[in-house]
Amino acid sequence: MSGSDVNTPEPPRQLDEDDRLTPEFVSAVLAAVDRGDAGAARALTEPLHPADLADLFELTPADSRAALATALGDQLDGDVFAEMNDYVREGLIDDLDPAQVADIAAELDTDDAVAIIEDLDADEQREVLRALDPDDRAAIEEALSYPEESAGRLMQRELIAVPEHWTVGDVLDYLRGNDTLTTDFWEVFVVDPQHKPIGACHLSWIMRTPRIVSVGDVMRREQTLIPVDMDQEEVALRFQKYALISAAVVDAGGRLVGMITVDDIVHIISQEAGEDILRLSGAGDGDINEPVLDSYRARVRWLISNLFTAMLASSIIALFEGTIAKFVALATLMPIVAGVGGNAGTQTMAVTVRALATNQLTRSNTVRSILRELRVAVLNGATIALIIGLGVGLVFQNPHLGGVIAAAMLANIVVAGLAGVAVPIVLERTGADPAVASSIFVTMTTDSMGFFIFLGLAAASGLVG
């Protein structure tokens, strides 16, 4: 063994125990890129899965991603782009010419190709589409004609469809004799002469059934069909409800135009859940790769709205300025009533928004859901009121003050519970997104009503002489 072999350092470990790229590995790859050693960079990244390679680009500083892409060459293929964060992918694609983007799109299923092309400017889209094969161009143009975040954008056109009169042997021969067919499918769709789906066969059924048996005798006629214009969140709910692996997508005339598979739905469920959480907080897309100015514009609107709601609450305090001046302890206790009420309202609001998003809360159980949350609010309010009332009475040696804050706390938590469930429902019924606007109205209600109830009770009860 030579001395150079003995002294060759071990390459850094790629992944940690949570399957995340290690800092040492990322640093080693970027160091190879910085010193112009593309071969070393490619040797380090060659074993990576496309998803891990996409993570590598996301962990790389923005000004170094172009150099990394150049060093990796054809390792940066369509599968990697399909796994990549939207903002990172857009930045890399901006550095490619239309022919290169077209080559990447041609490697992918239609749904993944659409995800790459739909984010381009209109002029760039046209150039990329012109560079595509006519069949690929027609499929992608059709997908782009559907609304964003619809089943039409999500579906892939590559599927297996056969007529009902075929035998299992005919299907097997068809699958084995056509190299151009898709290789990623779980079921074979059965269609009538108008290309409308009338059933489906699991691939496992076909493999285990004698060749002479008719497809019509094997197929399952009951199936969940997805309208092409259905919102992707509703599609995800259907997959979850009916435990689907794949589903046929049909156009307005009921004809089979594509299929959606569960691997795409897993991504959608995660995306939609994250969007709702971020909308509740007003954090925009909440992506650490989002440009700073985009994050600023998304968040500042929310903060300005909160500024106006805070001014409303402040104006209520001003109405009781004389009351507060006579009994300064009220100023100390006001934030407690408003803060606890706000947290109670946020809890109820989060539960309600989730129930609306997952179709657990519908018109048929709205009243029952409101009454349930009111009962929870009364129980929570009574518990917190008892604790704060006793505590304030003992600390301030004033049972009257303890009774006032206990009553105010109970009332505000009940108001918070009602607002937390009613505001999202009303917004959803009027066509607004409850995840976007609910928090503003609920916070305004709990702050304003908390101050008003507490200070109003203090003044009305004779606490302040």
Side-chain angles (χ1 to χ4, degrees), residues 443-463:
T443 301
M444 178 185 68
T445 301
T446 56
D447 286 353
S448 301
M449 292 304 297
F451 294 142
F452 182 79
I453 293 171
F454 180 47
L455 296 175
L457 285 175
S461 67
L463 178 63

Side-chain angles (χ1 to χ4, degrees), residues 313 316-317 319-321 323-325 327-341 385 388-389 392-393 396 398-413 415 445-464:
I316 292 176
I317 296 174
L319 293 175
F320 296 92
E321 184 176 355
T323 303
I324 298 172
F327 197 12
V328 180
L330 296 176
T332 305
L333 300 173
M334 283 191 308
I336 299 176
V337 178
V340 175
I388 189 68
V392 168
F396 289 88
N398 190 331
H400 192 176
L401 177 60
V404 167
I405 195 171
M409 186 68 76
L410 172 59
N412 197 34
I413 289 179
V415 168
T445 301
T446 56
D447 286 353
S448 301
M449 292 304 297
F451 294 142
F452 182 79
I453 293 171
F454 180 47
L455 296 175
L457 285 175
S461 67
L463 178 63
V464 181

Side-chain angles (χ1 to χ4, degrees), residues 90-379:
E90 288 174 21
L92 288 173
I93 286 180
D94 285 343
D95 295 330
L96 303 178
D97 60 55
Q100 290 175 299
V101 178
D103 289 341
I104 292 170
E107 299 175 12
L108 301 171
D109 289 332
T110 311
D111 56 329
D112 292 327
V114 169
I116 290 176
I117 295 175
E118 66 182 354
D119 293 328
L120 300 175
D121 295 334
D123 292 339
E124 294 175 328
Q125 277 190 11
R126 284 191 290 271
E127 291 184 24
V128 172
L129 290 171
R130 278 198 295 267
L132 283 168
D133 175 88
D135 290 337
D136 292 335
R137 180 169 64 247
I140 293 174
E141 285 178 338
E142 181 185 2
L144 292 172
S145 69
Y146 296 118
E148 290 188 24
E149 299 190 348
S150 67
R153 290 286 185 99
L154 187 63
M155 71 181 181
Q156 61 188 67
R157 275 101 182 129
E158 299 81 11
L159 52 81
I160 308 297
V162 300
E164 183 179 8
H165 66 266
W166 276 17
T167 65
V168 170
D170 294 330
V171 175
L172 291 173
D173 292 341
Y174 173 66
L175 295 175
R176 294 168 180 167
N178 291 270
D179 295 335
T180 59
L181 295 176
T182 180
T183 57
D184 296 325
F185 63 98
W186 289 268
E187 58 185 348
V188 172
F189 299 106
V190 184
V191 295
D192 66 11
Q194 287 74 44
H195 207 66
K196 296 180 179 180
I198 57 176
C201 295
H202 289 312
L203 191 57
S204 58
W205 300 351
I206 293 174
M207 298 299 294
R208 294 165 60 90
T209 302
R211 292 177 59 90
I212 61 173
V213 176
S214 170
V215 169
D217 294 333
V218 181
M219 71 179 185
R220 181 188 69 251
R221 294 187 180 272
E222 299 79 16
Q223 56 181 328
T224 301
L225 301 179
I226 306 295
V228 73
D229 57 353
M230 177 178 282
D231 183 84
Q232 64 180 21
E233 189 169 5
E234 183 63 29
V235 175
L237 290 175
R238 289 202 179 184
F239 266 73
Q240 183 178 8
K241 181 176 182 179
Y242 299 114
L244 303 176
I245 299 298
S246 64
V249 180
V250 294
D251 62 15
R255 292 179 294 274
L256 179 65
V257 292
M259 74 170 179
I260 295 176
T261 53
V262 72
D263 59 320
D264 295 313
I265 295 303
V266 170
H267 170 71
I268 295 303
I269 291 173
S270 173
Q271 174 184 321
E272 293 290 345
E275 283 180 358
D276 285 346
I277 292 172
L278 291 166
R279 286 170 179 170
L280 283 172
S281 65
D285 286 347
D287 194 310
I288 61 173
N289 295 295
E290 183 180 19
V292 171
L293 287 179
D294 289 350
S295 295
Y296 159 74
R297 283 190 289 267
R299 299 183 193 185
V300 75
R301 292 194 297 267
W302 183 270
L303 295 176
I304 291 173
S305 299
N306 282 349
L307 175 62
F308 284 109
T309 60
M311 290 171 64
L312 176 60
S314 179
S315 67
I316 292 176
I317 296 174
L319 293 175
F320 296 92
E321 184 176 355
T323 303
I324 298 172
K326 293 178 182 178
F327 197 12
V328 180
L330 296 176
T332 305
L333 300 173
M334 283 191 308
I336 299 176
V337 178
V340 175
N343 287 336
T346 299
Q347 289 177 342
T348 307
M349 177 185 64
V351 171
T352 304
V353 169
R354 180 184 180 278
L356 289 170
T358 57
N359 284 343
Q360 289 181 318
L361 201 166
T362 65
R363 293 181 184 273
S364 61
N365 66 349
T366 297
V367 174
R368 186 169 72 250
S369 297
I370 292 175
L371 293 176
R372 176 190 178 277
E373 291 302 328
L374 281 177
R375 287 196 293 270
V376 173
V378 169
L379 292 173

